[in-house]
């Protein structure tokens, strides 16, 4: 049984969200990742919010999973809010963070802001990959 089906099954049983939060952090990460991959975004968001409200610390991987969840939902503002939380918790945006944010912007056809983020990522000495540049160029050529 994968983690996403475990969570769905636990919702139907007496096992609640608080019981999920008693699991080790590495398992919670796998649960969140599986939920996002299974497009169970609302459940992933619910678990993340409960984690934070019960004082469970999120690490960089948790933030990246949730930022990816925002990219699936196409919600740039929520992704930026997660980056803000990430910074407050002492984690700095990595190349993967910028890549996810830029892809959300490109889906919204906001090439100018995507280029601004690209500049910011570059100025912070993140190593940007060719695939990201090609993705931006393809979108720019479409316009």
């Amino acid at each position: 049984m994968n983690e996403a089906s475990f969570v769905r099954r636990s919702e139907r049983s007496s096992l609640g969200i608080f019981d999920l939060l008693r699991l080790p952090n590495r398992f919670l990460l796998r649960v969140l990742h599986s939920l996002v991959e299974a497009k169970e975004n609302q459940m992933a968001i619910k678990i993340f919010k409960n984690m934070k409200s019960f004082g469970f610390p999120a690490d960089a991987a948790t933030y990246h999973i949730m930022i990816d969840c925002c990219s699936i939902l196409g919600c740039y503002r929520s992704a930026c809010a997660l980056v803000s939380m990430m910074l407050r918790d002492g984690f700095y945006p990595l190349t993967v963070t910028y890549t996810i944010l830029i892809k959300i912007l490109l889906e919204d056809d906001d090439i100018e802001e995507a280029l601004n983020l690209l500049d910011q990522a570059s100025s912070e000495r993140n190593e940007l990959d060719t695939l990201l540049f090609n993705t931006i160029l393809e979108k720019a050529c479409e316009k």
Side-chain angles (χ1 to χ4, degrees):
M1 167 176 27
N2 70 22
E3 288 82 2
S5 63
F6 170 79
V7 172
R8 284 191 298 274
R9 191 189 65 160
S10 68
E11 278 200 319
R12 291 187 300 266
S13 71
S14 61
L15 184 64
I17 296 293
F18 187 72
D19 295 313
L20 283 174
L21 295 176
R22 293 185 201 181
L23 299 171
N25 266 0
R26 69 182 189 285
F27 186 74
L28 274 174
L29 269 178
R30 289 181 62 198
V31 167
L32 285 175
H33 187 259
S34 294
L35 286 168
V36 170
E37 281 191 338
K39 307 281 191 271
E40 295 282 346
N41 300 310
Q42 296 305 319
M43 179 55 65
I45 292 167
K46 183 177 180 182
I47 290 173
F48 179 77
K49 284 181 176 179
N50 280 311
M51 281 175 59
K52 294 301 282 178
S53 69
F54 284 111
F56 286 82
D59 60 7
T62 305
Y63 283 117
H64 285 117
I65 290 167
M66 295 312 298
I67 293 168
D68 192 37
C69 180
C70 293
S71 77
I72 292 168
L73 296 171
C75 193
Y76 181 71
R77 287 177 54 169
S78 294
C80 287
L82 285 163
V83 171
S84 177
M85 292 170 67
M86 197 172 136
L87 288 166
R88 281 194 304 266
D89 285 348
F91 303 104
Y92 295 94
L94 304 171
T95 301
V96 66
T97 316
Y98 285 106
T99 300
I100 296 168
L101 294 172
I102 288 169
K103 287 184 178 181
I104 297 171
L105 289 168
L106 292 175
E107 285 296 316
D108 286 341
D109 292 327
D110 193 347
I111 295 172
E112 190 171 323
E113 187 61 27
L115 290 172
N116 290 338
L117 269 181
L118 188 67
D119 284 342
Q120 183 177 341
S122 180
S123 71
E124 292 177 6
R125 305 215 193 293
N126 283 287
E127 288 190 30
L128 305 170
D129 62 356
T130 307
L131 184 59
L132 180 59
F133 285 112
N134 286 343
T135 304
I136 293 172
L137 287 172
E138 282 178 23
K139 197 64 165 183
C141 288
E142 289 175 9
K143 287 210 154 215

